[in-house]
Amino acid sequence: MTTRIGVVTFPGSLDDRDAQRAIQLAGAEPVALWHGSHDLEGVDALVLPGGFSYGDYLRSGAIAALSPIMTEVKEAAAKGMPILGICNGFQMLVEAHLLPGGLIRNHHQHFVRRDQRLIVENTTSAWTSEFTQGQEIVIPLKNAEGGYIADTETLDRIEGEGLVAFRYAGVNPNGSLRDIAGLTNPAGNVVGLMPHPEHATEPGFGPDTTAAMRSGVDGLAFFTSAIAAVARVAA
């Protein structure tokens, strides 16, 4: 049976259609969900996409974290459903306390857009199992409020429990503490990151590689990992 992965659209979402396209390319069925609904429509996994939900008023992701559908998202997370938060979606996850810490204005106070090198730190989560430990990947990044922060105790706990999923390599583009680019929860089903894997899933539209311009598809493994995780639960 085909894995069904929901993508929640909020007012101000920009990359929901891109996420749906990435899910389709990975071999799953994308399901469009609406922030004002309480119905997850029986999906097997969820993506909270990038954008500027509610205009990023108060704090990025703060209002979206209180949207009606987030009640069901939290319940699904507690039951082990794979959930991926991308950029604004990552901000929602920390605002909803599904992941620790916070995200603030980039240290240089400017929006940044670059093809970003990442080091894969954790391959045990539902969204990272198709990678190898220490693998370097290239994923597009675009944000203004991407600086990851947490107190020292929380940072030490995250490090000690192996919850850093991705770390910036080469350049830290936004001042994130300890170069943290993405996290997983202890159960491994919830992952958030600032870079956009949905923009690196199709040849001709991804980052440049040594093989050819725009040929990078490192982001596809996020979605195939989730498909594999759903299959393992169903087996």
Side-chain angles (χ1 to χ4, degrees):
M1 188 170 65
T2 302
T3 300
R4 302 173 73 247
I5 302 179
V7 179
V8 183
T9 297
F10 300 83
S13 293
L14 297 181
D15 300 295
D16 45 345
R17 297 298 181 91
D18 303 76
Q20 292 174 29
R21 174 69 174 169
I23 290 164
Q24 186 178 49
L25 289 168
E29 177 188 348
V31 179
L33 301 175
W34 183 240
H35 74 108
S37 172
H38 283 286
D39 187 1
L40 297 184
E41 300 187 20
V43 297
D44 303 300
L46 284 167
V47 174
L48 305 181
F52 301 91
S53 59
Y54 295 93
D56 279 350
Y57 291 115
L58 297 183
R59 297 178 305 278
S60 299
I63 300 177
L66 300 175
S67 290
I69 203 168
M70 290 301 290
T71 299
E72 282 65 40
V73 171
K74 291 177 182 179
E75 291 176 356
K79 294 176 181 177
M81 179 182 288
I83 298 173
L84 177 66
I86 302 170
C87 194
N88 194 214
F90 185 16
Q91 294 160 344
M92 294 176 206
L93 291 176
V94 298
E95 290 289 345
H97 306 295
L98 291 174
L99 291 173
L103 291 150
I104 63 172
R105 186 79 177 174
N106 296 344
H107 70 294
H108 45 65
Q109 300 297 307
H110 294 289
F111 183 91
V112 61
R113 161 64 181 95
R114 57 179 288 116
D115 290 338
Q116 179 66 47
R117 292 163 52 208
L118 302 176
I119 300 297
V120 180
E121 297 281 354
N122 182 306
T123 60
T124 65
S125 83
W127 298 91
T128 60
S129 64
E130 301 282 300
F131 295 110
T132 58
Q133 186 77 28
Q135 181 179 349
E136 182 175 301
I137 61 176
V138 178
I139 302 292
L141 171 82
K142 49 176 186 174
N143 64 70
E145 290 86 19
Y148 181 76
I149 59 168
D151 59 43
T152 300
E153 181 181 353
T154 299
L155 289 169
D156 289 344
R157 178 178 62 81
I158 289 169
E159 298 277 11
E161 295 179 7
L163 303 184
V164 177
F166 301 94
R167 218 180 292 269
Y168 294 116
V171 172
N172 182 328
N174 45 38
S176 290
L177 298 180
R178 304 195 188 180
D179 298 327
I180 292 173
L183 297 173
T184 179
N185 68 340
N189 62 304
V190 178
V191 170
L193 78 163
M194 287 310 297
H196 286 259
E198 77 279 16
H199 295 324
T201 57
E202 189 168 12
F205 298 93
D208 293 345
T209 71
T210 55
M213 292 177 60
R214 300 175 183 172
S215 62
V217 293
D218 288 340
L220 198 61
F222 285 80
F223 304 98
T224 56
S225 292
I227 293 169
V230 170
R232 285 193 296 270
V233 171

